[in-house]
């Protein structure tokens, strides 16, 4: 069946799923990916997050919130920098990611971290105003309402407090996304839940969305990271083990996940063999802002 004939079937299924209003659970996918997250996602995107880390005005004795902290790329660095007089609050909804974060802190003898399992916006809503000297969110704002998040961040930061954000852009992993769309045209019935993502367009969007009222932009930038994949299996392996497909896997019928990924590998291999490789490219944007 040609793509032209397959597309209406996929559109119909997507529309039906949207009407059902059942959302995929990205947390379940992150729980599964936690064990391999650092070997895949952090290994390649860590250098980009490190660029943000070097710009953060972290000082000894500060209280900092690491929102959507994951396995702790920022958490341990922040805890070391603020010292025993400071305090880090690390929040994530995934128990798997938090557990890896806790293990790292234990291995480094870091005792100035409070680990909290919670939805980010729900946690922020219960905080007193002016609670933190800084807030960092790495690869997490895509799961939140940006308007609500911006208001809460400004409220909980102290005057002079900083905000650091890094996130994938809406154009990130386009080649991979297009290939999955091709696969789903073969398996439209596999999609059973909505994937609710709010990816920023670029650095200008971050500035517009988060630098309001008393938050003032210091630096903002776009960047990209290309994951070195030479065949279809490597692409699928990265998507499964890095957490990059979190939310997508949970949106599929469990009994068809394996078949969907096998077909994905098949189509990806065809691309590589035809000298048109699948480009696994993360486009991201980052922002550093201060509260007046």
């Amino acid at each position: 069946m040609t793509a032209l004939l397959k597309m209406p079937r996929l559109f119909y299924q997507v529309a039906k799923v949207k009407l059902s209003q059942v959302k995929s659970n990205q947390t379940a996918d992150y729980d599964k990916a936690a064990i391999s997250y650092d070997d895949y996602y952090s290994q390649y995107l860590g250098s980009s997050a490190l660029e943000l880390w070097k710009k953060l005005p972290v000082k000894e004795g500060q209280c900092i919130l690491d929102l959507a902290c994951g396995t702790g790329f920022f958490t341990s660095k922040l805890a070391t920098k603020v010292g025993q007089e400071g305090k880090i609050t690390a929040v994530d909804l995934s128990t798997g990611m938090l557990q890896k974060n806790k293990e790292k802190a234990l291995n480094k003898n870091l005792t100035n971290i409070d680990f909290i399992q919670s939805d980010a916006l729900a946690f922020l809503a219960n905080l007193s105003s002016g609670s933190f000297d800084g807030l960092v969110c790495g690869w997490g704002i895509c799961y939140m309402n940006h308007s609500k998040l911006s208001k809460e961040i400004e409220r909980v930061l102290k005057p002079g407090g900083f905000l650091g954000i890094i996130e994938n852009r809406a154009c990130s992993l386009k080649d991979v996304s297009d290939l999955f769309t091709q696969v789903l045209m073969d398996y439209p019935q596999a999609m059973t839940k909505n994937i609710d993502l709010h990816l920023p367009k670029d650095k200008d969007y971050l500035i517009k969305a988060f630098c309001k009222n008393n938050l003032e932009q210091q630096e903002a930038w776009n960047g990209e990271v290309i994951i070195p994949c030479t065949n279809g299996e490597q692409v699928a392996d990265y998507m499964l083990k890095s957490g990059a497909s979190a939310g997508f896997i949970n949106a599929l019928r469990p009994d068809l996940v394996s078949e969907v990924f096998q077909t994905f590998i098949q189509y990806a291999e065809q691309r590589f063999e035809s000298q048109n490789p699948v480009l696994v490219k993360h486009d991201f944007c980052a922002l550093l802002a201060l509260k007046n």
Side-chain angles (χ1 to χ4, degrees), residues 30 139-146 167-168 196-200:
Y30 274 119
W139 320 109
I141 68 165
C142 61
Y143 303 114
M144 308 174 203
N145 179 298
H146 296 169
E167 184 56 273
N168 281 286
D196 191 23
L197 284 178
H198 309 279
L199 291 166

Side-chain angles (χ1 to χ4, degrees), residues 53 58-64 75-88 112 162:
W53 159 251
V58 183
K59 299 176 183 178
E60 190 170 350
Q62 288 182 326
C63 294
I64 299 174
T75 311
S76 294
K77 292 178 177 62
L78 290 166
T80 301
K81 193 74 176 285
V82 301
Q84 286 303 310
E85 297 301 313
K87 177 68 71 174
I88 305 303
N112 58 344
F162 67 83

Side-chain angles (χ1 to χ4, degrees), residues 76-280:
S76 294
K77 292 178 177 62
L78 290 166
T80 301
K81 193 74 176 285
V82 301
Q84 286 303 310
E85 297 301 313
K87 177 68 71 174
I88 305 303
T89 301
V91 179
D92 203 287
L93 196 53
S94 165
T95 54
M97 301 292 267
L98 276 176
Q99 184 57 40
K100 293 296 292 184
N101 199 335
K102 290 177 183 179
E103 290 171 5
K104 288 182 186 178
L106 184 63
N107 290 337
K108 295 179 181 180
N109 296 315
L110 295 170
T111 59
N112 58 344
I113 307 171
D114 287 335
F115 292 99
I116 298 174
Q117 182 194 8
S118 175
D119 170 82
L121 285 172
F123 177 78
L124 287 169
N126 289 318
L127 291 174
S128 301
S129 298
S131 300
F132 288 95
D133 298 294
L135 186 152
V136 182
C137 188
W139 320 109
I141 68 165
C142 61
Y143 303 114
M144 308 174 203
N145 179 298
H146 296 169
S147 179
K148 292 180 180 178
L149 179 61
S150 176
K151 291 176 183 177
E152 287 299 325
I153 288 174
E154 183 174 350
R155 185 182 66 80
V156 303
L157 282 177
K158 298 176 182 178
F162 67 83
L163 167 66
I165 292 174
I166 187 167
E167 184 56 273
N168 281 286
R169 297 170 59 191
C171 59
S172 191
L173 296 171
K174 183 180 185 304
D175 249 18
V176 177
S177 178
D178 288 348
L179 200 58
F180 271 122
T181 299
Q182 182 182 348
V183 174
L184 288 175
M185 283 193 290
D186 289 344
Y187 299 94
Q189 73 278 17
M191 183 66 70
T192 61
K193 300 176 185 176
N194 286 301
I195 303 171
D196 191 23
L197 284 178
H198 309 279
L199 291 166
K201 181 180 178 182
D202 54 22
K203 66 181 179 65
D204 294 329
Y205 173 88
L206 289 183
I207 295 169
K208 184 178 179 180
F210 292 94
C211 294
K212 300 176 180 179
N213 302 319
N214 294 320
L215 274 172
E216 182 177 340
Q217 168 207 353
Q218 301 300 300
E219 291 188 58
W221 62 98
N222 296 323
E224 65 178 45
V225 175
I226 296 176
I227 313 302
C229 295
T230 58
N231 58 56
E233 286 197 7
Q234 289 181 0
V235 178
D237 197 48
Y238 176 77
M239 294 304 295
L240 283 166
K241 295 180 179 178
S242 67
S245 57
F248 173 75
I249 300 172
N250 187 261
L252 300 175
R253 265 177 48 182
D255 61 317
L256 289 177
V257 170
S258 177
E259 198 167 345
V260 165
F261 271 88
Q262 284 303 312
T263 304
F264 175 88
I265 292 171
Q266 177 187 334
Y267 285 157
E269 289 289 2
Q270 292 172 2
R271 287 273 303 270
F272 281 102
E273 289 170 4
S274 65
Q275 306 304 308
N276 180 27
V278 179
L279 183 62
V280 185

